[in-house]
Coordinates of all heavy atoms in Angstrom, one line a residue:
M73 N 84.7 -34.9 -18.4 CA 84.2 -34.4 -17.1 C 83.4 -35.5 -16.4 O 82.6 -36.1 -17.0 CB 83.4 -33.1 -17.3 CG 82.7 -32.6 -16.0 SD 81.7 -31.2 -16.2 CE 83.0 -29.9 -16.1
N74 N 83.7 -35.7 -15.1 CA 82.9 -36.7 -14.4 C 81.9 -36.0 -13.5 O 82.2 -35.1 -12.8 CB 83.9 -37.5 -13.5 CG 83.2 -38.8 -12.9 OD1 82.0 -38.8 -12.8 ND2 84.0 -39.7 -12.5
H75 N 80.6 -36.4 -13.6 CA 79.6 -35.8 -12.9 C 79.1 -36.6 -11.7 O 77.9 -36.5 -11.3 CB 78.4 -35.5 -13.8 CG 78.8 -34.5 -14.9 ND1 78.9 -33.2 -14.7 CD2 79.3 -34.7 -16.2 CE1 79.3 -32.6 -15.9 NE2 79.6 -33.5 -16.7
G76 N 79.9 -37.4 -11.1 CA 79.5 -38.2 -10.0 C 80.1 -39.5 -10.1 O 80.8 -39.8 -11.2
P77 N 80.0 -40.4 -9.2 CA 80.6 -41.7 -9.2 C 80.1 -42.5 -10.5 O 79.0 -42.9 -10.6 CB 80.1 -42.4 -8.0 CG 79.6 -41.3 -7.1 CD 79.2 -40.2 -8.0
G78 N 81.1 -42.6 -11.4 CA 80.8 -43.4 -12.6 C 79.8 -42.7 -13.6 O 79.3 -43.4 -14.5
L79 N 79.6 -41.4 -13.5 CA 78.7 -40.7 -14.4 C 79.5 -39.7 -15.3 O 79.9 -38.7 -14.9 CB 77.7 -39.9 -13.6 CG 76.8 -40.7 -12.6 CD1 75.9 -39.8 -11.8 CD2 75.9 -41.7 -13.4
P80 N 79.6 -40.1 -16.6 CA 80.3 -39.2 -17.5 C 79.4 -38.0 -18.0 O 79.9 -37.1 -18.5 CB 80.7 -40.1 -18.7 CG 79.6 -41.2 -18.6 CD 79.3 -41.4 -17.2
H81 N 78.1 -38.2 -17.8 CA 77.2 -37.1 -18.2 C 76.4 -36.6 -17.0 O 76.1 -37.4 -16.1 CB 76.2 -37.7 -19.2 CG 76.8 -38.1 -20.5 ND1 77.2 -37.3 -21.5 CD2 77.1 -39.4 -20.9 CE1 77.7 -38.0 -22.4 NE2 77.7 -39.3 -22.1
P82 N 76.1 -35.3 -16.9 CA 75.3 -34.8 -15.8 C 73.9 -35.4 -15.9 O 73.4 -35.7 -17.0 CB 75.2 -33.3 -16.1 CG 75.4 -33.2 -17.5 CD 76.3 -34.3 -18.0
P83 N 73.2 -35.5 -14.8 CA 71.8 -36.0 -14.8 C 70.9 -35.0 -15.5 O 71.2 -33.8 -15.5 CB 71.4 -36.2 -13.4 CG 72.5 -35.6 -12.5 CD 73.7 -35.3 -13.4
Y84 N 69.8 -35.4 -16.1 CA 68.8 -34.5 -16.6 C 68.3 -33.7 -15.5 O 68.3 -34.2 -14.3 CB 67.7 -35.4 -17.3 CG 66.7 -34.6 -18.0 CD1 67.0 -33.8 -19.1 CD2 65.4 -34.6 -17.5 CE1 66.0 -33.1 -19.7 CE2 64.4 -33.8 -18.1 CZ 64.7 -33.1 -19.3 OH 63.7 -32.4 -19.9
P85 N 67.9 -32.5 -15.7 CA 67.5 -31.6 -14.6 C 66.5 -32.2 -13.6 O 66.5 -31.8 -12.4 CB 66.9 -30.4 -15.3 CG 67.6 -30.3 -16.6 CD 67.8 -31.7 -17.0
S86 N 65.7 -33.2 -14.0 CA 64.8 -33.8 -13.0 C 65.6 -34.8 -12.1 O 65.0 -35.4 -11.2 CB 63.7 -34.6 -13.7 OG 64.3 -35.6 -14.5
G87 N 66.9 -35.0 -12.4 CA 67.7 -35.9 -11.6 C 67.8 -37.3 -12.2 O 68.4 -38.2 -11.7
L88 N 67.1 -37.5 -13.3 CA 67.2 -38.8 -14.0 C 68.5 -39.0 -14.7 O 69.0 -38.1 -15.3 CB 66.0 -38.9 -15.0 CG 64.6 -38.8 -14.5 CD1 63.6 -38.8 -15.6 CD2 64.3 -40.0 -13.6
I89 N 69.0 -40.2 -14.6 CA 70.2 -40.6 -15.3 C 69.8 -41.1 -16.7 O 69.3 -42.2 -16.8 CB 71.0 -41.6 -14.5 CG1 71.3 -41.2 -13.1 CG2 72.3 -42.0 -15.3 CD1 72.1 -39.9 -13.0
L90 N 70.0 -40.3 -17.7 CA 69.5 -40.7 -19.1 C 70.6 -41.2 -20.0 O 70.3 -41.6 -21.1 CB 68.8 -39.5 -19.7 CG 67.5 -39.0 -19.0 CD1 67.0 -37.8 -19.7 CD2 66.5 -40.1 -18.9
A91 N 71.8 -41.2 -19.5 CA 73.0 -41.6 -20.4 C 72.7 -43.0 -21.0 O 72.5 -43.9 -20.3 CB 74.3 -41.6 -19.6
G92 N 72.8 -43.0 -22.3 CA 72.6 -44.2 -23.1 C 71.2 -44.8 -23.1 O 70.9 -45.8 -23.7
R93 N 70.2 -44.0 -22.6 CA 68.8 -44.5 -22.6 C 68.1 -43.8 -23.7 O 68.3 -42.6 -24.0 CB 68.2 -44.2 -21.2 CG 68.9 -45.0 -20.1 CD 68.2 -44.9 -18.8 NE 68.7 -46.0 -17.9 CZ 68.7 -45.8 -16.6 NH1 68.2 -44.7 -16.1 NH2 69.1 -46.8 -15.9
R94 N 67.1 -44.5 -24.2 CA 66.3 -44.0 -25.3 C 65.2 -43.0 -24.7 O 64.4 -43.4 -23.9 CB 65.6 -45.1 -26.0 CG 64.8 -44.6 -27.2 CD 64.3 -45.8 -28.1 NE 63.7 -45.3 -29.3 CZ 62.4 -45.3 -29.5 NH1 61.6 -45.9 -28.7 NH2 61.9 -44.8 -30.7
V95 N 65.2 -41.8 -25.2 CA 64.3 -40.8 -24.9 C 63.5 -40.4 -26.2 O 64.1 -40.1 -27.2 CB 65.0 -39.5 -24.3 CG1 64.0 -38.4 -24.2 CG2 65.6 -39.8 -23.0
V96 N 62.2 -40.5 -26.1 CA 61.3 -40.1 -27.2 C 60.6 -38.8 -26.9 O 60.0 -38.6 -25.9 CB 60.3 -41.2 -27.6 CG1 59.4 -40.8 -28.7 CG2 61.0 -42.5 -27.9
V97 N 60.8 -37.8 -27.8 CA 60.1 -36.5 -27.7 C 59.0 -36.5 -28.8 O 59.3 -36.6 -29.9 CB 61.2 -35.4 -27.9 CG1 60.5 -34.0 -27.9 CG2 62.3 -35.5 -26.9
I98 N 57.8 -36.3 -28.3 CA 56.7 -36.2 -29.2 C 56.4 -34.7 -29.4 O 56.0 -34.0 -28.5 CB 55.4 -36.9 -28.6 CG1 55.7 -38.3 -28.2 CG2 54.3 -36.8 -29.7 CD1 56.2 -39.2 -29.4
G99 N 56.6 -34.3 -30.6 CA 56.5 -32.9 -31.0 C 57.9 -32.3 -31.2 O 58.8 -32.5 -30.5
G100 N 58.0 -31.5 -32.3 CA 59.3 -31.0 -32.7 C 59.4 -29.5 -32.7 O 60.2 -28.9 -33.5
G101 N 58.5 -28.8 -32.0 CA 58.5 -27.4 -32.0 C 59.5 -26.7 -31.1 O 60.5 -27.3 -30.7
H102 N 59.2 -25.4 -30.8 CA 60.1 -24.6 -30.0 C 60.4 -25.2 -28.6 O 61.5 -25.1 -28.0 CB 59.7 -23.2 -29.9 CG 58.4 -22.9 -29.1 ND1 57.2 -23.1 -29.7 CD2 58.3 -22.5 -27.8 CE1 56.3 -22.9 -28.7 NE2 56.9 -22.5 -27.6
V103 N 59.4 -25.9 -28.0 CA 59.6 -26.5 -26.7 C 60.6 -27.6 -26.8 O 61.5 -27.7 -26.0 CB 58.3 -27.0 -26.1 CG1 58.5 -27.7 -24.8 CG2 57.3 -25.8 -25.9
A104 N 60.5 -28.4 -27.8 CA 61.4 -29.5 -28.0 C 62.8 -29.0 -28.3 O 63.8 -29.5 -27.7 CB 61.0 -30.4 -29.2
A105 N 62.9 -27.9 -29.0 CA 64.2 -27.2 -29.3 C 64.9 -26.8 -28.0 O 66.1 -26.9 -27.9 CB 64.0 -26.1 -30.3
R106 N 64.1 -26.3 -27.1 CA 64.6 -25.8 -25.8 C 65.0 -27.0 -24.9 O 66.0 -26.9 -24.1 CB 63.6 -25.0 -25.0 CG 63.4 -23.6 -25.5 CD 62.7 -22.7 -24.5 NE 61.7 -23.4 -23.7 CZ 60.4 -23.3 -23.9 NH1 59.9 -22.7 -24.9 NH2 59.6 -23.9 -23.0
R107 N 64.3 -28.2 -25.0 CA 64.6 -29.3 -24.2 C 65.8 -30.2 -24.7 O 66.4 -30.9 -23.9 CB 63.4 -30.2 -24.0 CG 62.3 -29.5 -23.2 CD 61.1 -30.5 -23.0 NE 60.1 -29.8 -22.3 CZ 58.9 -30.3 -22.1 NH1 58.6 -31.4 -22.6 NH2 58.0 -29.6 -21.4
L108 N 66.0 -30.2 -26.0 CA 67.1 -31.0 -26.6 C 68.4 -30.9 -25.9 O 69.1 -31.9 -25.6 CB 67.2 -30.8 -28.1 CG 66.2 -31.5 -28.9 CD1 66.4 -31.2 -30.4 CD2 66.2 -33.0 -28.7
P109 N 68.9 -29.7 -25.7 CA 70.3 -29.6 -25.1 C 70.4 -30.3 -23.8 O 71.4 -31.0 -23.6 CB 70.5 -28.1 -25.0 CG 69.6 -27.5 -26.0 CD 68.4 -28.3 -26.1
A110 N 69.4 -30.3 -22.9 CA 69.5 -30.9 -21.7 C 69.5 -32.5 -21.8 O 70.3 -33.2 -21.2 CB 68.4 -30.5 -20.7
F111 N 68.7 -33.0 -22.8 CA 68.7 -34.4 -23.0 C 70.0 -34.8 -23.6 O 70.6 -35.9 -23.2 CB 67.6 -34.8 -24.0 CG 66.2 -34.7 -23.5 CD1 65.2 -34.1 -24.2 CD2 65.9 -35.3 -22.3 CE1 63.9 -34.1 -23.7 CE2 64.6 -35.3 -21.8 CZ 63.6 -34.7 -22.5
L112 N 70.6 -34.1 -24.5 CA 71.8 -34.4 -25.1 C 73.0 -34.3 -24.1 O 73.9 -35.2 -24.1 CB 72.1 -33.6 -26.4 CG 71.1 -33.8 -27.5 CD1 71.3 -32.8 -28.6 CD2 71.2 -35.2 -28.0
D113 N 73.0 -33.3 -23.3 CA 74.0 -33.1 -22.3 C 74.0 -34.3 -21.3 O 75.0 -34.7 -20.7 CB 73.8 -31.8 -21.5 CG 74.3 -30.6 -22.3 OD1 74.9 -30.8 -23.4 OD2 73.9 -29.5 -21.9
A114 N 72.8 -34.8 -21.1 CA 72.6 -36.0 -20.2 C 73.0 -37.3 -20.8 O 73.0 -38.3 -20.2 CB 71.2 -36.0 -19.7
G115 N 73.3 -37.3 -22.1 CA 73.8 -38.5 -22.8 C 72.7 -39.3 -23.3 O 72.9 -40.5 -23.7
A116 N 71.5 -38.8 -23.4 CA 70.3 -39.6 -23.9 C 70.4 -39.9 -25.4 O 71.0 -39.1 -26.2 CB 69.0 -38.8 -23.6
A117 N 69.8 -41.0 -25.8 CA 69.7 -41.3 -27.2 C 68.3 -40.8 -27.6 O 67.3 -41.5 -27.3 CB 69.8 -42.8 -27.4
V118 N 68.2 -39.7 -28.3 CA 66.9 -39.0 -28.5 C 66.3 -39.2 -29.8 O 67.0 -39.2 -30.9 CB 67.1 -37.4 -28.3 CG1 65.8 -36.7 -28.5 CG2 67.7 -37.1 -26.9
T119 N 65.0 -39.5 -29.8 CA 64.2 -39.6 -31.1 C 63.1 -38.6 -30.9 O 62.4 -38.6 -29.9 CB 63.6 -41.0 -31.2 OG1 64.7 -42.0 -31.4 CG2 62.8 -41.1 -32.5
V120 N 63.0 -37.7 -32.0 CA 61.9 -36.8 -32.0 C 60.9 -37.2 -33.1 O 61.3 -37.6 -34.2 CB 62.4 -35.4 -32.4 CG1 61.2 -34.4 -32.5 CG2 63.3 -34.8 -31.3
V121 N 59.6 -37.3 -32.7 CA 58.5 -37.7 -33.6 C 57.6 -36.5 -33.8 O 57.0 -36.1 -32.8 CB 57.7 -38.9 -33.1 CG1 56.6 -39.3 -34.0 CG2 58.7 -40.1 -32.8
S122 N 57.5 -35.9 -35.0 CA 56.7 -34.8 -35.2 C 56.6 -34.5 -36.7 O 57.6 -34.6 -37.4 CB 57.3 -33.6 -34.5 OG 56.5 -32.4 -34.8
P123 N 55.4 -34.1 -37.2 CA 55.3 -33.8 -38.6 C 55.9 -32.4 -38.9 O 56.2 -32.1 -40.0 CB 53.8 -33.8 -38.9 CG 53.2 -33.5 -37.5 CD 54.1 -34.1 -36.5
E124 N 55.9 -31.5 -37.9 CA 56.4 -30.2 -38.0 C 57.7 -30.0 -37.1 O 57.6 -30.5 -36.0 CB 55.4 -29.1 -37.7 CG 54.2 -29.2 -38.6 CD 53.1 -28.2 -38.2 OE1 53.4 -27.3 -37.4 OE2 52.0 -28.4 -38.6
V125 N 58.7 -29.4 -37.6 CA 60.0 -29.5 -36.9 C 60.6 -28.1 -36.9 O 60.8 -27.4 -37.9 CB 61.0 -30.5 -37.6 CG1 62.3 -30.5 -36.8 CG2 60.3 -31.8 -37.7
D126 N 61.0 -27.6 -35.7 CA 61.7 -26.4 -35.5 C 63.1 -26.5 -36.1 O 63.7 -27.6 -36.2 CB 61.9 -26.2 -34.0 CG 62.5 -24.9 -33.6 OD1 63.8 -24.8 -33.6 OD2 61.8 -23.9 -33.3
P127 N 63.6 -25.4 -36.7 CA 64.9 -25.4 -37.3 C 66.0 -26.0 -36.4 O 67.0 -26.6 -36.8 CB 65.2 -24.0 -37.7 CG 63.8 -23.4 -37.9 CD 63.0 -24.1 -36.8
V128 N 66.0 -25.7 -35.1 CA 67.0 -26.2 -34.1 C 66.9 -27.7 -34.1 O 68.0 -28.4 -34.0 CB 66.8 -25.6 -32.8 CG1 67.6 -26.2 -31.7 CG2 67.0 -24.1 -32.8
V129 N 65.7 -28.3 -34.1 CA 65.6 -29.7 -34.0 C 66.1 -30.3 -35.3 O 66.8 -31.3 -35.3 CB 64.1 -30.1 -33.8 CG1 63.9 -31.6 -33.9 CG2 63.6 -29.6 -32.5
R130 N 65.7 -29.7 -36.5 CA 66.2 -30.2 -37.8 C 67.7 -30.2 -37.8 O 68.4 -31.1 -38.3 CB 65.6 -29.4 -38.9 CG 65.9 -30.0 -40.3 CD 65.2 -29.3 -41.4 NE 63.7 -29.3 -41.2 CZ 62.9 -30.4 -41.4 NH1 63.5 -31.6 -41.6 NH2 61.6 -30.3 -41.2
E131 N 68.3 -29.1 -37.3 CA 69.8 -29.0 -37.3 C 70.4 -30.1 -36.5 O 71.4 -30.7 -36.9 CB 70.2 -27.6 -36.8 CG 71.7 -27.4 -36.8 CD 72.4 -27.4 -38.1 OE1 71.7 -27.1 -39.1 OE2 73.6 -27.6 -38.2
A132 N 69.9 -30.4 -35.3 CA 70.4 -31.5 -34.5 C 70.3 -32.8 -35.2 O 71.2 -33.6 -35.1 CB 69.6 -31.5 -33.1
A133 N 69.2 -33.0 -35.9 CA 69.1 -34.3 -36.7 C 70.1 -34.3 -37.8 O 70.7 -35.4 -38.1 CB 67.7 -34.4 -37.3
S134 N 70.3 -33.2 -38.5 CA 71.3 -33.2 -39.6 C 72.7 -33.4 -39.2 O 73.5 -33.9 -39.9 CB 71.2 -31.8 -40.4 OG 71.8 -30.8 -39.7
R135 N 73.0 -33.1 -37.9 CA 74.3 -33.3 -37.3 C 74.4 -34.8 -36.8 O 75.5 -35.2 -36.3 CB 74.6 -32.3 -36.2 CG 74.9 -30.9 -36.7 CD 75.5 -30.0 -35.6 NE 74.6 -30.0 -34.4 CZ 73.7 -29.1 -34.1 NH1 73.5 -28.1 -34.9 NH2 73.0 -29.2 -33.0
G136 N 73.3 -35.5 -36.8 CA 73.3 -36.9 -36.3 C 73.2 -37.0 -34.8 O 73.4 -38.0 -34.2
E137 N 72.8 -35.9 -34.1 CA 72.7 -35.9 -32.7 C 71.4 -36.5 -32.2 O 71.4 -37.0 -31.1 CB 72.8 -34.4 -32.1 CG 74.1 -33.8 -32.4 CD 74.1 -32.3 -32.0 OE1 73.0 -31.7 -31.8 OE2 75.2 -31.8 -31.8
I138 N 70.4 -36.5 -33.0 CA 69.1 -37.1 -32.7 C 68.6 -37.9 -33.9 O 69.0 -37.6 -35.0 CB 68.1 -36.1 -32.3 CG1 67.8 -35.1 -33.5 CG2 68.6 -35.2 -31.1 CD1 66.5 -34.3 -33.3
A139 N 67.6 -38.7 -33.6 CA 66.9 -39.4 -34.7 C 65.6 -38.6 -34.9 O 65.0 -38.2 -33.9 CB 66.6 -40.8 -34.4
L140 N 65.2 -38.3 -36.1 CA 64.0 -37.5 -36.4 C 63.1 -38.3 -37.3 O 63.4 -38.8 -38.3 CB 64.4 -36.2 -37.1 CG 63.3 -35.3 -37.6 CD1 62.4 -34.9 -36.3 CD2 63.8 -34.1 -38.3
V141 N 61.8 -38.5 -36.8 CA 60.8 -39.2 -37.5 C 59.7 -38.1 -37.8 O 59.0 -37.7 -36.9 CB 60.2 -40.3 -36.6 CG1 59.1 -41.0 -37.4 CG2 61.3 -41.3 -36.2
E142 N 59.6 -37.7 -39.1 CA 58.7 -36.6 -39.5 C 57.4 -37.1 -39.9 O 57.1 -37.3 -41.0 CB 59.4 -35.8 -40.6 CG 60.6 -35.1 -40.2 CD 61.1 -34.1 -41.2 OE1 60.5 -33.1 -41.5 OE2 62.2 -34.4 -41.7
R143 N 56.5 -37.4 -38.8 CA 55.2 -37.8 -39.0 C 54.5 -37.6 -37.7 O 55.1 -37.4 -36.7 CB 55.1 -39.2 -39.5 CG 55.7 -40.2 -38.6 CD 55.3 -41.6 -39.0 NE 56.0 -42.6 -38.3 CZ 56.0 -43.0 -37.0 NH1 55.2 -42.3 -36.2 NH2 56.8 -43.9 -36.5
E144 N 53.1 -37.8 -37.7 CA 52.4 -37.8 -36.4 C 52.8 -39.1 -35.6 O 53.2 -40.1 -36.1 CB 50.9 -37.9 -36.7 CG 50.3 -36.7 -37.4 CD 50.2 -35.5 -36.5 OE1 50.2 -35.6 -35.2 OE2 50.2 -34.3 -37.0
Y145 N 52.6 -38.9 -34.3 CA 52.8 -40.1 -33.4 C 51.9 -41.2 -33.8 O 50.8 -41.1 -34.2 CB 52.5 -39.6 -31.9 CG 52.5 -40.8 -31.0 CD1 53.6 -41.3 -30.4 CD2 51.3 -41.4 -30.7 CE1 53.6 -42.3 -29.6 CE2 51.2 -42.5 -29.8 CZ 52.4 -43.0 -29.3 OH 52.4 -44.0 -28.4
E146 N 52.5 -42.4 -33.7 CA 51.8 -43.7 -34.0 C 52.0 -44.6 -32.8 O 53.1 -44.6 -32.1 CB 52.3 -44.3 -35.2 CG 52.0 -43.5 -36.5 CD 52.5 -44.2 -37.8 OE1 53.1 -45.3 -37.7 OE2 52.4 -43.6 -38.8
T147 N 51.0 -45.5 -32.6 CA 51.1 -46.5 -31.5 C 52.4 -47.3 -31.8 O 52.7 -47.6 -32.9 CB 49.9 -47.5 -31.6 OG1 48.8 -46.7 -31.4 CG2 50.1 -48.6 -30.5
G148 N 53.2 -47.5 -30.8 CA 54.5 -48.2 -30.9 C 55.7 -47.3 -30.9 O 56.8 -47.8 -30.7
D149 N 55.5 -46.0 -31.1 CA 56.6 -45.1 -31.1 C 57.4 -45.1 -29.8 O 58.6 -44.7 -29.8 CB 56.2 -43.7 -31.5 CG 55.9 -43.5 -33.0 OD1 56.4 -44.4 -33.8 OD2 55.3 -42.5 -33.4
L150 N 56.7 -45.4 -28.7 CA 57.4 -45.4 -27.4 C 58.0 -46.7 -27.0 O 58.6 -46.8 -26.0 CB 56.4 -44.9 -26.3 CG 55.8 -43.5 -26.5 CD1 54.9 -43.2 -25.4 CD2 56.9 -42.5 -26.6
A151 N 57.9 -47.7 -27.9 CA 58.5 -49.0 -27.6 C 60.0 -48.9 -27.3 O 60.7 -48.3 -28.1 CB 58.2 -50.0 -28.8
G152 N 60.4 -49.4 -26.2 CA 61.8 -49.4 -25.9 C 62.3 -48.0 -25.3 O 63.4 -47.9 -24.9
A153 N 61.4 -47.1 -25.2 CA 61.8 -45.8 -24.6 C 61.8 -45.9 -23.1 O 61.0 -46.6 -22.4 CB 60.7 -44.7 -24.9
W154 N 62.8 -45.3 -22.5 CA 63.0 -45.2 -21.1 C 62.3 -44.0 -20.5 O 61.9 -44.0 -19.4 CB 64.5 -45.2 -20.7 CG 64.7 -45.5 -19.3 CD1 64.9 -46.8 -18.7 CD2 64.9 -44.6 -18.2 NE1 65.1 -46.6 -17.3 CE2 65.1 -45.3 -17.0 CE3 64.9 -43.2 -18.2 CZ2 65.3 -44.7 -15.8 CZ3 65.1 -42.6 -17.0 CH2 65.3 -43.3 -15.8
Y155 N 62.2 -42.9 -21.3 CA 61.6 -41.7 -20.9 C 61.0 -41.1 -22.1 O 61.5 -41.2 -23.2 CB 62.7 -40.7 -20.4 CG 62.2 -39.4 -19.8 CD1 61.8 -39.3 -18.5 CD2 62.2 -38.3 -20.6 CE1 61.3 -38.1 -18.0 CE2 61.8 -37.0 -20.1 CZ 61.3 -37.0 -18.7 OH 60.9 -35.8 -18.2
A156 N 59.8 -40.4 -21.9 CA 59.1 -39.8 -23.0 C 58.7 -38.4 -22.6 O 58.3 -38.2 -21.4 CB 57.9 -40.6 -23.4
S157 N 58.8 -37.5 -23.5 CA 58.3 -36.1 -23.3 C 57.3 -35.8 -24.4 O 57.6 -36.0 -25.6 CB 59.6 -35.2 -23.4 OG 59.2 -33.9 -23.1
R158 N 56.1 -35.4 -24.0 CA 55.1 -35.3 -25.1 C 54.7 -33.8 -25.3 O 54.9 -33.0 -24.4 CB 53.9 -36.1 -24.7 CG 53.2 -35.7 -23.5 CD 52.0 -36.6 -23.2 NE 51.2 -36.0 -22.1 CZ 50.1 -35.3 -22.3 NH1 49.7 -35.0 -23.5 NH2 49.5 -34.8 -21.3
R159 N 54.1 -33.6 -26.4 CA 53.5 -32.3 -26.8 C 54.6 -31.2 -26.7 O 54.3 -30.2 -26.0 CB 52.3 -32.0 -26.0 CG 51.1 -32.9 -26.4 CD 49.9 -32.2 -25.9 NE 48.7 -33.0 -26.3 CZ 47.9 -32.6 -27.3 NH1 48.1 -31.4 -27.8 NH2 46.9 -33.3 -27.6
C160 N 55.7 -31.4 -27.3 CA 56.8 -30.4 -27.2 C 56.7 -29.5 -28.5 O 57.6 -29.5 -29.3 CB 58.1 -31.1 -27.1 SG 58.4 -31.9 -25.6
S161 N 55.5 -28.9 -28.6 CA 55.3 -28.0 -29.8 C 55.8 -26.6 -29.6 O 56.0 -26.2 -28.6 CB 53.8 -28.0 -30.1 OG 53.4 -29.3 -30.4

């Protein structure tokens, strides 16, 4: 499906083109679980950083859809990120 001139993925609801861009989500709770589908539909390369993880987030990681870092946020976790979403508990 083509979602516009040269866009194989729909834009993230805010209108951002995230396809192929690194998105870091700080927090792996129910809010992150609700946001993941939109990030993935937009074609983002998602990394979730959180010591506690919602089952939906863990399942996405087990399928290889996202990268999961199970620990507290540390300085440098946003290096190379194009977009960040914080406190998704």
Side-chain angles (χ1 to χ4, degrees):
M73 175 180 275
N74 191 340
H75 297 279
L79 300 177
H81 297 281
Y84 185 65
S86 64
L88 297 174
I89 306 301
L90 299 178
R93 294 188 169 151
R94 183 167 187 253
V95 170
V96 177
V97 177
I98 307 300
H102 67 279
V103 175
R106 283 196 330 258
R107 290 183 182 172
L108 277 181
F111 286 134
L112 295 174
D113 286 348
V118 180
T119 298
V120 174
V121 179
S122 181
E124 298 176 18
V125 182
D126 184 276
V128 170
V129 175
R130 186 170 306 285
E131 179 67 21
S134 72
R135 289 190 306 264
E137 295 175 340
I138 65 166
L140 178 60
V141 180
E142 292 188 71
R143 61 164 168 72
E144 293 288 339
Y145 169 83
E146 294 179 3
T147 300
D149 283 343
L150 297 180
W154 194 87
Y155 184 83
S157 185
R158 66 181 188 96
R159 293 195 174 253
C160 294
S161 301

